[in-house]
Amino acid sequence: MFSGCVVLCTVLGVIQVATSEAPLTLEGKVTISVDSRENVFSLRTGVDGAEFLTRGAPASKMSRADRTVVSIAPFGELNAVRMFLENGDLAVAAVHPELPFGFFQVQHTNASAQPEPIADLTPFRAPLSLSVPAADLKVLGTAGLTATDANPGSYTFLAVANPKTRAGVVAAWLTQERGSGLMFSRVEAGAVVLEPRCEYGGVLLDPGAAIASEWLVVGYFDDARLGLEQYADLVAAHYAIKLPPQPSGYCTWYSEHAGGASNQKDLKVLADFAAEKLGPYGFNFVQIDDQWQGPSRDGHPLNAGALTEEYLGKPKDAKDRWWGGPHSDFTTHHPEGPYGDGGMKTAVSNLRAAGMIPGLWLMPFAWNPTCDALKDHHDWFVKQPDGSLYYAF
């Protein structure tokens, strides 16, 4: 039973709210139930009503909860519940009728008279309910695939799933506007417990000012891999990300015949074959790898001239001929190398004639400072603190 209705302006925008002391339920693709008296909330699937997040709790005890509406671009208005916490913070949970995630955010206000450093904000801490013991589940995050008790933490996202069925929960940060979203988990009483954290690095919050965490999303999927894809779609929609077509091609280094940089003749054969047989499937570039450039710096004495070897980048513990390694004159092709007959212009013409994008291998910081094209342009090089060249060899 509603006890009243007010209009309130917060960092979430101008919203209409209705308060209640009874447990509140939000229904969408997922269902969120909030019980402020028990200080818990839960998430259930919208299909069969199976609970997958149980007895979640915000960072501080709830004093009351009410219904509201929040707006998250570009998804429009979402039905939501605000949880007023005894420490003065405000937690928000929301659902969308067409999106298989619950949305969560926490807001903190500096009630002191002094600037307050904000290290992090934590929306909640919640055990998962996935029908099998935690030992039978796996966790996937930016640390890779791990056992549930071995996850060191993950940037941005975390998936917890049954490897036999692939069913599981995806929890991830939708936004990263000001804070850095992290996902932690641990095992307690045989269950995986989610502990999301939004870090701010000690940003100072002025007296009376408020800061809202990034938006976190949590959902259950029959295949957690597809859940991660749907999360990626959410991020793309929120930030209006439009990726160019994915490049697909080949690096000549790995050729069984004419490997390394290939050569003028075989490169044309490769490009023509790829265009005919693989082009219809998206193949569109060929990269010429190492050994096209030249001449080799380790095939002759170092031409230091009036320069010292230390200035040219010689390490303190280097032995004789420290300048060995890949050919490093990337300003020209090797006149006696695989593209000596026609140079790189002919190679590029042949690739483009076949409809391929030309690619070329080179090493940053490894361009030979004694070659003709660069010997008078050391101002183009990155320098060490002592003024010597930062030169990879």
mmCIF file of all heavy atoms in Angstrom, residues 180-230:
data_model
loop_
_atom_site.group_PDB
_atom_site.id
_atom_site.type_symbol
_atom_site.label_atom_id
_atom_site.label_comp_id
_atom_site.label_asym_id
_atom_site.label_seq_id
_atom_site.Cartn_x
_atom_site.Cartn_y
_atom_site.Cartn_z
ATOM 1 N N SER A 180 36.032 3.171 -12.507
ATOM 2 C CA SER A 180 36.555 1.963 -13.151
ATOM 3 C C SER A 180 35.872 0.755 -12.525
ATOM 4 O O SER A 180 36.044 0.468 -11.341
ATOM 5 C CB SER A 180 38.076 1.879 -12.962
ATOM 6 O OG SER A 180 38.593 0.702 -13.521
ATOM 7 N N GLY A 181 35.087 0.038 -13.333
ATOM 8 C CA GLY A 181 34.303 -1.081 -12.823
ATOM 9 C C GLY A 181 35.108 -2.361 -12.698
ATOM 10 O O GLY A 181 35.757 -2.791 -13.650
ATOM 11 N N LEU A 182 35.064 -2.972 -11.524
ATOM 12 C CA LEU A 182 35.735 -4.244 -11.268
ATOM 13 C C LEU A 182 34.715 -5.255 -10.771
ATOM 14 O O LEU A 182 33.684 -4.898 -10.195
ATOM 15 C CB LEU A 182 36.839 -4.074 -10.208
ATOM 16 C CG LEU A 182 37.929 -3.033 -10.490
ATOM 17 C CD1 LEU A 182 38.841 -2.899 -9.291
ATOM 18 C CD2 LEU A 182 38.715 -3.424 -11.725
ATOM 19 N N MET A 183 35.021 -6.539 -11.003
ATOM 20 C CA MET A 183 34.155 -7.617 -10.532
ATOM 21 C C MET A 183 34.981 -8.604 -9.709
ATOM 22 O O MET A 183 35.942 -9.184 -10.210
ATOM 23 C CB MET A 183 33.510 -8.354 -11.715
ATOM 24 C CG MET A 183 32.534 -7.531 -12.522
ATOM 25 S SD MET A 183 31.106 -6.946 -11.558
ATOM 26 C CE MET A 183 30.536 -8.468 -10.825
ATOM 27 N N PHE A 184 34.582 -8.781 -8.454
ATOM 28 C CA PHE A 184 35.223 -9.756 -7.585
ATOM 29 C C PHE A 184 34.215 -10.831 -7.208
ATOM 30 O O PHE A 184 32.995 -10.622 -7.275
ATOM 31 C CB PHE A 184 35.768 -9.085 -6.327
ATOM 32 C CG PHE A 184 36.885 -8.124 -6.593
ATOM 33 C CD1 PHE A 184 36.624 -6.770 -6.792
ATOM 34 C CD2 PHE A 184 38.198 -8.560 -6.663
ATOM 35 C CE1 PHE A 184 37.653 -5.877 -7.045
ATOM 36 C CE2 PHE A 184 39.235 -7.672 -6.915
ATOM 37 C CZ PHE A 184 38.955 -6.337 -7.107
ATOM 38 N N SER A 185 34.728 -11.983 -6.825
ATOM 39 C CA SER A 185 33.870 -13.067 -6.353
ATOM 40 C C SER A 185 34.624 -13.880 -5.324
ATOM 41 O O SER A 185 35.857 -13.896 -5.304
ATOM 42 C CB SER A 185 33.421 -13.964 -7.515
ATOM 43 O OG SER A 185 34.540 -14.634 -8.085
ATOM 44 N N ARG A 186 33.889 -14.548 -4.479
ATOM 45 C CA ARG A 186 34.478 -15.465 -3.510
ATOM 46 C C ARG A 186 33.492 -16.590 -3.247
ATOM 47 O O ARG A 186 32.327 -16.521 -3.665
ATOM 48 C CB ARG A 186 34.831 -14.736 -2.214
ATOM 49 C CG ARG A 186 33.636 -14.175 -1.453
ATOM 50 C CD ARG A 186 34.086 -13.504 -0.179
ATOM 51 N NE ARG A 186 34.902 -12.337 -0.480
ATOM 52 C CZ ARG A 186 35.688 -11.751 0.427
ATOM 53 N NH1 ARG A 186 35.783 -12.258 1.643
ATOM 54 N NH2 ARG A 186 36.377 -10.683 0.100
ATOM 55 N N VAL A 187 33.954 -17.616 -2.574
ATOM 56 C CA VAL A 187 33.095 -18.753 -2.251
ATOM 57 C C VAL A 187 32.830 -18.751 -0.754
ATOM 58 O O VAL A 187 33.767 -18.713 0.050
ATOM 59 C CB VAL A 187 33.745 -20.080 -2.677
ATOM 60 C CG1 VAL A 187 32.867 -21.252 -2.262
ATOM 61 C CG2 VAL A 187 33.972 -20.102 -4.187
ATOM 62 N N GLU A 188 31.542 -18.765 -0.403
ATOM 63 C CA GLU A 188 31.136 -18.828 1.003
ATOM 64 C C GLU A 188 29.981 -19.799 1.141
ATOM 65 O O GLU A 188 29.006 -19.721 0.377
ATOM 66 C CB GLU A 188 30.718 -17.447 1.511
ATOM 67 C CG GLU A 188 31.846 -16.437 1.588
ATOM 68 C CD GLU A 188 31.399 -15.094 2.126
ATOM 69 O OE1 GLU A 188 30.192 -14.974 2.450
ATOM 70 O OE2 GLU A 188 32.226 -14.173 2.210
ATOM 71 N N ALA A 189 30.108 -20.719 2.077
ATOM 72 C CA ALA A 189 29.053 -21.698 2.357
ATOM 73 C C ALA A 189 28.627 -22.427 1.090
ATOM 74 O O ALA A 189 27.435 -22.688 0.875
ATOM 75 C CB ALA A 189 27.853 -21.011 3.012
ATOM 76 N N GLY A 190 29.594 -22.740 0.225
ATOM 77 C CA GLY A 190 29.307 -23.505 -0.980
ATOM 78 C C GLY A 190 28.693 -22.728 -2.111
ATOM 79 O O GLY A 190 28.311 -23.313 -3.129
ATOM 80 N N ALA A 191 28.611 -21.395 -1.974
ATOM 81 C CA ALA A 191 28.005 -20.565 -3.030
ATOM 82 C C ALA A 191 28.998 -19.497 -3.480
ATOM 83 O O ALA A 191 29.836 -19.024 -2.701
ATOM 84 C CB ALA A 191 26.728 -19.895 -2.535
ATOM 85 N N VAL A 192 28.903 -19.123 -4.759
ATOM 86 C CA VAL A 192 29.712 -18.025 -5.282
ATOM 87 C C VAL A 192 29.039 -16.713 -4.911
ATOM 88 O O VAL A 192 27.841 -16.524 -5.156
ATOM 89 C CB VAL A 192 29.870 -18.121 -6.808
ATOM 90 C CG1 VAL A 192 30.646 -16.924 -7.341
ATOM 91 C CG2 VAL A 192 30.566 -19.416 -7.193
ATOM 92 N N VAL A 193 29.810 -15.807 -4.321
ATOM 93 C CA VAL A 193 29.285 -14.509 -3.903
ATOM 94 C C VAL A 193 29.873 -13.430 -4.805
ATOM 95 O O VAL A 193 31.100 -13.313 -4.937
ATOM 96 C CB VAL A 193 29.636 -14.216 -2.436
ATOM 97 C CG1 VAL A 193 29.117 -12.846 -2.023
ATOM 98 C CG2 VAL A 193 29.059 -15.299 -1.531
ATOM 99 N N LEU A 194 29.014 -12.646 -5.436
ATOM 100 C CA LEU A 194 29.454 -11.534 -6.283
ATOM 101 C C LEU A 194 29.734 -10.311 -5.433
ATOM 102 O O LEU A 194 28.952 -9.963 -4.536
ATOM 103 C CB LEU A 194 28.385 -11.181 -7.314
ATOM 104 C CG LEU A 194 28.122 -12.155 -8.457
ATOM 105 C CD1 LEU A 194 27.061 -11.564 -9.382
ATOM 106 C CD2 LEU A 194 29.392 -12.464 -9.232
ATOM 107 N N GLU A 195 30.846 -9.625 -5.753
ATOM 108 C CA GLU A 195 31.200 -8.395 -5.069
ATOM 109 C C GLU A 195 31.674 -7.363 -6.093
ATOM 110 O O GLU A 195 32.875 -7.178 -6.311
ATOM 111 C CB GLU A 195 32.290 -8.652 -4.026
ATOM 112 C CG GLU A 195 31.844 -9.571 -2.901
ATOM 113 C CD GLU A 195 32.925 -9.793 -1.856
ATOM 114 O OE1 GLU A 195 34.113 -9.558 -2.174
ATOM 115 O OE2 GLU A 195 32.599 -10.182 -0.728
ATOM 116 N N PRO A 196 30.755 -6.688 -6.766
ATOM 117 C CA PRO A 196 31.154 -5.660 -7.730
ATOM 118 C C PRO A 196 31.689 -4.425 -7.008
ATOM 119 O O PRO A 196 31.269 -4.113 -5.885
ATOM 120 C CB PRO A 196 29.851 -5.352 -8.474
ATOM 121 C CG PRO A 196 28.777 -5.714 -7.504
ATOM 122 C CD PRO A 196 29.302 -6.860 -6.692
ATOM 123 N N ARG A 197 32.609 -3.725 -7.661
ATOM 124 C CA ARG A 197 33.204 -2.535 -7.059
ATOM 125 C C ARG A 197 33.482 -1.524 -8.166
ATOM 126 O O ARG A 197 34.005 -1.874 -9.220
ATOM 127 C CB ARG A 197 34.493 -2.897 -6.347
ATOM 128 C CG ARG A 197 35.162 -1.732 -5.614
ATOM 129 C CD ARG A 197 36.541 -2.119 -5.120
ATOM 130 N NE ARG A 197 36.516 -3.315 -4.301
ATOM 131 C CZ ARG A 197 37.607 -4.011 -3.967
ATOM 132 N NH1 ARG A 197 38.796 -3.628 -4.433
ATOM 133 N NH2 ARG A 197 37.501 -5.089 -3.227
ATOM 134 N N CYS A 198 33.152 -0.269 -7.886
ATOM 135 C CA CYS A 198 33.424 0.816 -8.824
ATOM 136 C C CYS A 198 34.451 1.738 -8.175
ATOM 137 O O CYS A 198 34.156 2.387 -7.167
ATOM 138 C CB CYS A 198 32.138 1.577 -9.137
ATOM 139 S SG CYS A 198 32.292 2.786 -10.463
ATOM 140 N N GLU A 199 35.658 1.782 -8.724
ATOM 141 C CA GLU A 199 36.755 2.512 -8.100
ATOM 142 C C GLU A 199 36.909 3.914 -8.683
ATOM 143 O O GLU A 199 36.767 4.125 -9.882
ATOM 144 C CB GLU A 199 38.061 1.732 -8.249
ATOM 145 C CG GLU A 199 38.038 0.403 -7.491
ATOM 146 C CD GLU A 199 39.409 -0.235 -7.416
ATOM 147 O OE1 GLU A 199 40.287 0.112 -8.229
ATOM 148 O OE2 GLU A 199 39.594 -1.102 -6.526
ATOM 149 N N TYR A 200 37.229 4.852 -7.790
ATOM 150 C CA TYR A 200 37.376 6.257 -8.185
ATOM 151 C C TYR A 200 38.748 6.840 -7.859
ATOM 152 O O TYR A 200 38.994 8.020 -8.120
ATOM 153 C CB TYR A 200 36.286 7.103 -7.521
ATOM 154 C CG TYR A 200 34.922 6.831 -8.088
ATOM 155 C CD1 TYR A 200 34.112 5.848 -7.539
ATOM 156 C CD2 TYR A 200 34.460 7.521 -9.200
ATOM 157 C CE1 TYR A 200 32.869 5.568 -8.073
ATOM 158 C CE2 TYR A 200 33.219 7.255 -9.743
ATOM 159 C CZ TYR A 200 32.429 6.274 -9.168
ATOM 160 O OH TYR A 200 31.203 5.999 -9.706
ATOM 161 N N GLY A 201 39.628 6.044 -7.271
ATOM 162 C CA GLY A 201 40.993 6.493 -7.039
ATOM 163 C C GLY A 201 41.142 7.644 -6.066
ATOM 164 O O GLY A 201 42.100 8.408 -6.148
ATOM 165 N N GLY A 202 40.178 7.795 -5.146
ATOM 166 C CA GLY A 202 40.304 8.851 -4.145
ATOM 167 C C GLY A 202 39.854 10.219 -4.609
ATOM 168 O O GLY A 202 40.280 11.233 -4.039
ATOM 169 N N VAL A 203 38.990 10.275 -5.618
ATOM 170 C CA VAL A 203 38.491 11.572 -6.088
ATOM 171 C C VAL A 203 37.823 12.308 -4.927
ATOM 172 O O VAL A 203 37.144 11.711 -4.092
ATOM 173 C CB VAL A 203 37.500 11.381 -7.254
ATOM 174 C CG1 VAL A 203 36.265 10.607 -6.832
ATOM 175 C CG2 VAL A 203 37.090 12.730 -7.830
ATOM 176 N N LEU A 204 38.042 13.621 -4.836
ATOM 177 C CA LEU A 204 37.489 14.413 -3.737
ATOM 178 C C LEU A 204 36.064 14.863 -4.058
ATOM 179 O O LEU A 204 35.809 15.464 -5.109
ATOM 180 C CB LEU A 204 38.372 15.625 -3.462
ATOM 181 C CG LEU A 204 39.746 15.331 -2.832
ATOM 182 C CD1 LEU A 204 40.525 16.628 -2.654
ATOM 183 C CD2 LEU A 204 39.592 14.598 -1.506
ATOM 184 N N LEU A 205 35.158 14.570 -3.130
ATOM 185 C CA LEU A 205 33.753 14.946 -3.277
ATOM 186 C C LEU A 205 33.485 16.125 -2.352
ATOM 187 O O LEU A 205 33.682 16.045 -1.134
ATOM 188 C CB LEU A 205 32.862 13.751 -2.919
ATOM 189 C CG LEU A 205 31.374 13.870 -3.240
ATOM 190 C CD1 LEU A 205 31.163 14.005 -4.747
ATOM 191 C CD2 LEU A 205 30.622 12.654 -2.710
ATOM 192 N N ASP A 206 33.029 17.245 -2.924
ATOM 193 C CA ASP A 206 32.777 18.445 -2.136
ATOM 194 C C ASP A 206 31.653 18.226 -1.127
ATOM 195 O O ASP A 206 30.769 17.380 -1.334
ATOM 196 C CB ASP A 206 32.411 19.609 -3.053
ATOM 197 C CG ASP A 206 33.590 20.086 -3.892
ATOM 198 O OD1 ASP A 206 34.733 19.882 -3.448
ATOM 199 O OD2 ASP A 206 33.337 20.654 -4.974
ATOM 200 N N PRO A 207 31.645 18.976 -0.045
ATOM 201 C CA PRO A 207 30.549 18.873 0.922
ATOM 202 C C PRO A 207 29.191 19.089 0.260
ATOM 203 O O PRO A 207 29.013 20.028 -0.513
ATOM 204 C CB PRO A 207 30.866 19.984 1.925
ATOM 205 C CG PRO A 207 32.345 20.171 1.829
ATOM 206 C CD PRO A 207 32.681 19.940 0.382
ATOM 207 N N GLY A 208 28.262 18.202 0.549
ATOM 208 C CA GLY A 208 26.922 18.299 -0.022
ATOM 209 C C GLY A 208 26.784 17.760 -1.424
ATOM 210 O O GLY A 208 25.665 17.640 -1.937
ATOM 211 N N ALA A 209 27.903 17.418 -2.079
ATOM 212 C CA ALA A 209 27.851 16.910 -3.452
ATOM 213 C C ALA A 209 27.563 15.404 -3.441
ATOM 214 O O ALA A 209 27.835 14.704 -2.465
ATOM 215 C CB ALA A 209 29.151 17.192 -4.175
ATOM 216 N N ALA A 210 27.028 14.925 -4.554
ATOM 217 C CA ALA A 210 26.692 13.505 -4.687
ATOM 218 C C ALA A 210 27.441 12.908 -5.861
ATOM 219 O O ALA A 210 27.760 13.603 -6.839
ATOM 220 C CB ALA A 210 25.189 13.327 -4.879
ATOM 221 N N ILE A 211 27.726 11.628 -5.764
ATOM 222 C CA ILE A 211 28.362 10.896 -6.854
ATOM 223 C C ILE A 211 27.625 9.578 -7.019
ATOM 224 O O ILE A 211 27.301 8.896 -6.041
ATOM 225 C CB ILE A 211 29.867 10.668 -6.587
ATOM 226 C CG1 ILE A 211 30.530 10.029 -7.812
ATOM 227 C CG2 ILE A 211 30.094 9.837 -5.333
ATOM 228 C CD1 ILE A 211 32.056 9.982 -7.702
ATOM 229 N N ALA A 212 27.301 9.236 -8.250
ATOM 230 C CA ALA A 212 26.608 7.980 -8.544
ATOM 231 C C ALA A 212 27.588 7.021 -9.200
ATOM 232 O O ALA A 212 28.382 7.415 -10.056
ATOM 233 C CB ALA A 212 25.411 8.216 -9.460
ATOM 234 N N SER A 213 27.540 5.759 -8.803
ATOM 235 C CA SER A 213 28.396 4.757 -9.426
ATOM 236 C C SER A 213 27.999 4.551 -10.881
ATOM 237 O O SER A 213 26.956 5.025 -11.334
ATOM 238 C CB SER A 213 28.292 3.425 -8.673
ATOM 239 O OG SER A 213 27.069 2.772 -8.996
ATOM 240 N N GLU A 214 28.832 3.833 -11.597
ATOM 241 C CA GLU A 214 28.453 3.416 -12.943
ATOM 242 C C GLU A 214 27.304 2.409 -12.850
ATOM 243 O O GLU A 214 27.018 1.857 -11.785
ATOM 244 C CB GLU A 214 29.658 2.782 -13.638
ATOM 245 C CG GLU A 214 30.897 3.647 -13.665
ATOM 246 C CD GLU A 214 30.716 4.944 -14.435
ATOM 247 O OE1 GLU A 214 29.822 5.014 -15.289
ATOM 248 O OE2 GLU A 214 31.476 5.892 -14.182
ATOM 249 N N TRP A 215 26.648 2.160 -13.977
ATOM 250 C CA TRP A 215 25.563 1.192 -14.005
ATOM 251 C C TRP A 215 26.123 -0.226 -14.159
ATOM 252 O O TRP A 215 26.946 -0.486 -15.041
ATOM 253 C CB TRP A 215 24.601 1.471 -15.147
ATOM 254 C CG TRP A 215 23.630 2.575 -14.859
ATOM 255 C CD1 TRP A 215 23.667 3.849 -15.348
ATOM 256 C CD2 TRP A 215 22.477 2.499 -14.013
ATOM 257 N NE1 TRP A 215 22.610 4.573 -14.871
ATOM 258 C CE2 TRP A 215 21.856 3.773 -14.042
ATOM 259 C CE3 TRP A 215 21.901 1.487 -13.244
ATOM 260 C CZ2 TRP A 215 20.696 4.057 -13.328
ATOM 261 C CZ3 TRP A 215 20.743 1.770 -12.528
ATOM 262 C CH2 TRP A 215 20.152 3.040 -12.566
ATOM 263 N N LEU A 216 25.655 -1.110 -13.315
ATOM 264 C CA LEU A 216 26.025 -2.523 -13.342
ATOM 265 C C LEU A 216 24.838 -3.329 -13.844
ATOM 266 O O LEU A 216 23.684 -3.032 -13.504
ATOM 267 C CB LEU A 216 26.403 -2.991 -11.931
ATOM 268 C CG LEU A 216 26.723 -4.470 -11.746
ATOM 269 C CD1 LEU A 216 28.127 -4.773 -12.250
ATOM 270 C CD2 LEU A 216 26.587 -4.871 -10.276
ATOM 271 N N VAL A 217 25.090 -4.364 -14.655
ATOM 272 C CA VAL A 217 24.006 -5.231 -15.125
ATOM 273 C C VAL A 217 24.290 -6.670 -14.707
ATOM 274 O O VAL A 217 25.443 -7.107 -14.666
ATOM 275 C CB VAL A 217 23.821 -5.148 -16.657
ATOM 276 C CG1 VAL A 217 23.384 -3.749 -17.062
ATOM 277 C CG2 VAL A 217 25.101 -5.543 -17.400
ATOM 278 N N VAL A 218 23.225 -7.407 -14.388
ATOM 279 C CA VAL A 218 23.337 -8.805 -13.970
ATOM 280 C C VAL A 218 22.198 -9.587 -14.626
ATOM 281 O O VAL A 218 21.033 -9.165 -14.574
ATOM 282 C CB VAL A 218 23.245 -8.961 -12.440
ATOM 283 C CG1 VAL A 218 23.453 -10.426 -12.043
ATOM 284 C CG2 VAL A 218 24.258 -8.075 -11.733
ATOM 285 N N GLY A 219 22.520 -10.733 -15.229
ATOM 286 C CA GLY A 219 21.495 -11.561 -15.868
ATOM 287 C C GLY A 219 21.876 -13.025 -15.873
ATOM 288 O O GLY A 219 23.048 -13.389 -15.713
ATOM 289 N N TYR A 220 20.865 -13.873 -16.052
ATOM 290 C CA TYR A 220 21.065 -15.325 -16.141
ATOM 291 C C TYR A 220 20.815 -15.774 -17.575
ATOM 292 O O TYR A 220 19.867 -15.310 -18.225
ATOM 293 C CB TYR A 220 20.104 -16.065 -15.203
ATOM 294 C CG TYR A 220 20.199 -17.567 -15.337
ATOM 295 C CD1 TYR A 220 21.121 -18.285 -14.591
ATOM 296 C CD2 TYR A 220 19.365 -18.261 -16.210
ATOM 297 C CE1 TYR A 220 21.219 -19.666 -14.712
ATOM 298 C CE2 TYR A 220 19.459 -19.638 -16.345
ATOM 299 C CZ TYR A 220 20.386 -20.328 -15.592
ATOM 300 O OH TYR A 220 20.484 -21.693 -15.731
ATOM 301 N N PHE A 221 21.655 -16.714 -18.044
ATOM 302 C CA PHE A 221 21.538 -17.167 -19.434
ATOM 303 C C PHE A 221 21.753 -18.673 -19.516
ATOM 304 O O PHE A 221 22.588 -19.235 -18.793
ATOM 305 C CB PHE A 221 22.572 -16.455 -20.307
ATOM 306 C CG PHE A 221 22.423 -14.960 -20.297
ATOM 307 C CD1 PHE A 221 23.068 -14.200 -19.333
ATOM 308 C CD2 PHE A 221 21.599 -14.325 -21.216
ATOM 309 C CE1 PHE A 221 22.921 -12.831 -19.298
ATOM 310 C CE2 PHE A 221 21.439 -12.957 -21.186
ATOM 311 C CZ PHE A 221 22.098 -12.199 -20.215
ATOM 312 N N ASP A 222 21.001 -19.315 -20.395
ATOM 313 C CA ASP A 222 21.188 -20.753 -20.622
ATOM 314 C C ASP A 222 22.579 -21.036 -21.174
ATOM 315 O O ASP A 222 23.108 -22.138 -21.001
ATOM 316 C CB ASP A 222 20.118 -21.282 -21.580
ATOM 317 C CG ASP A 222 18.729 -21.277 -20.950
ATOM 318 O OD1 ASP A 222 18.651 -21.360 -19.707
ATOM 319 O OD2 ASP A 222 17.739 -21.188 -21.694
ATOM 320 N N ASP A 223 23.165 -20.068 -21.851
ATOM 321 C CA ASP A 223 24.545 -20.159 -22.319
ATOM 322 C C ASP A 223 25.203 -18.830 -21.963
ATOM 323 O O ASP A 223 24.902 -17.796 -22.553
ATOM 324 C CB ASP A 223 24.599 -20.392 -23.832
ATOM 325 C CG ASP A 223 26.008 -20.701 -24.334
ATOM 326 O OD1 ASP A 223 26.970 -20.186 -23.739
ATOM 327 O OD2 ASP A 223 26.137 -21.439 -25.330
ATOM 328 N N ALA A 224 26.084 -18.860 -20.964
ATOM 329 C CA ALA A 224 26.697 -17.622 -20.478
ATOM 330 C C ALA A 224 27.518 -16.928 -21.559
ATOM 331 O O ALA A 224 27.696 -15.708 -21.519
ATOM 332 C CB ALA A 224 27.563 -17.910 -19.258
ATOM 333 N N ARG A 225 28.017 -17.688 -22.530
ATOM 334 C CA ARG A 225 28.764 -17.059 -23.627
ATOM 335 C C ARG A 225 27.856 -16.116 -24.416
ATOM 336 O O ARG A 225 28.274 -15.018 -24.807
ATOM 337 C CB ARG A 225 29.343 -18.132 -24.546
ATOM 338 C CG ARG A 225 30.303 -19.097 -23.877
ATOM 339 C CD ARG A 225 30.684 -20.209 -24.817
ATOM 340 N NE ARG A 225 29.505 -20.892 -25.335
ATOM 341 C CZ ARG A 225 29.525 -21.790 -26.317
ATOM 342 N NH1 ARG A 225 30.669 -22.106 -26.897
ATOM 343 N NH2 ARG A 225 28.408 -22.364 -26.719
ATOM 344 N N LEU A 226 26.617 -16.548 -24.639
ATOM 345 C CA LEU A 226 25.669 -15.680 -25.343
ATOM 346 C C LEU A 226 25.269 -14.507 -24.461
ATOM 347 O O LEU A 226 24.966 -13.421 -24.961
ATOM 348 C CB LEU A 226 24.437 -16.488 -25.754
ATOM 349 C CG LEU A 226 24.703 -17.665 -26.698
ATOM 350 C CD1 LEU A 226 23.401 -18.361 -27.071
ATOM 351 C CD2 LEU A 226 25.431 -17.194 -27.953
ATOM 352 N N GLY A 227 25.284 -14.727 -23.141
ATOM 353 C CA GLY A 227 25.032 -13.624 -22.226
ATOM 354 C C GLY A 227 26.095 -12.555 -22.326
ATOM 355 O O GLY A 227 25.802 -11.351 -22.284
ATOM 356 N N LEU A 228 27.351 -12.979 -22.468
ATOM 357 C CA LEU A 228 28.435 -12.009 -22.647
ATOM 358 C C LEU A 228 28.267 -11.236 -23.949
ATOM 359 O O LEU A 228 28.549 -10.040 -24.023
ATOM 360 C CB LEU A 228 29.784 -12.724 -22.615
ATOM 361 C CG LEU A 228 30.243 -13.233 -21.247
ATOM 362 C CD1 LEU A 228 31.454 -14.135 -21.399
ATOM 363 C CD2 LEU A 228 30.557 -12.065 -20.316
ATOM 364 N N GLU A 229 27.797 -11.927 -24.987
ATOM 365 C CA GLU A 229 27.550 -11.236 -26.260
ATOM 366 C C GLU A 229 26.422 -10.211 -26.108
ATOM 367 O O GLU A 229 26.504 -9.105 -26.655
ATOM 368 C CB GLU A 229 27.208 -12.251 -27.346
ATOM 369 C CG GLU A 229 28.392 -13.109 -27.783
ATOM 370 C CD GLU A 229 28.074 -13.943 -29.001
ATOM 371 O OE1 GLU A 229 26.972 -13.785 -29.565
ATOM 372 O OE2 GLU A 229 28.939 -14.738 -29.399
ATOM 373 N N GLN A 230 25.386 -10.570 -25.350
ATOM 374 C CA GLN A 230 24.286 -9.619 -25.150
ATOM 375 C C GLN A 230 24.746 -8.430 -24.307
ATOM 376 O O GLN A 230 24.287 -7.296 -24.516
ATOM 377 C CB GLN A 230 23.095 -10.320 -24.506
ATOM 378 C CG GLN A 230 22.425 -11.328 -25.439
ATOM 379 C CD GLN A 230 21.077 -11.785 -24.939
ATOM 380 O OE1 GLN A 230 20.202 -10.978 -24.611
ATOM 381 N NE2 GLN A 230 20.892 -13.097 -24.861
#
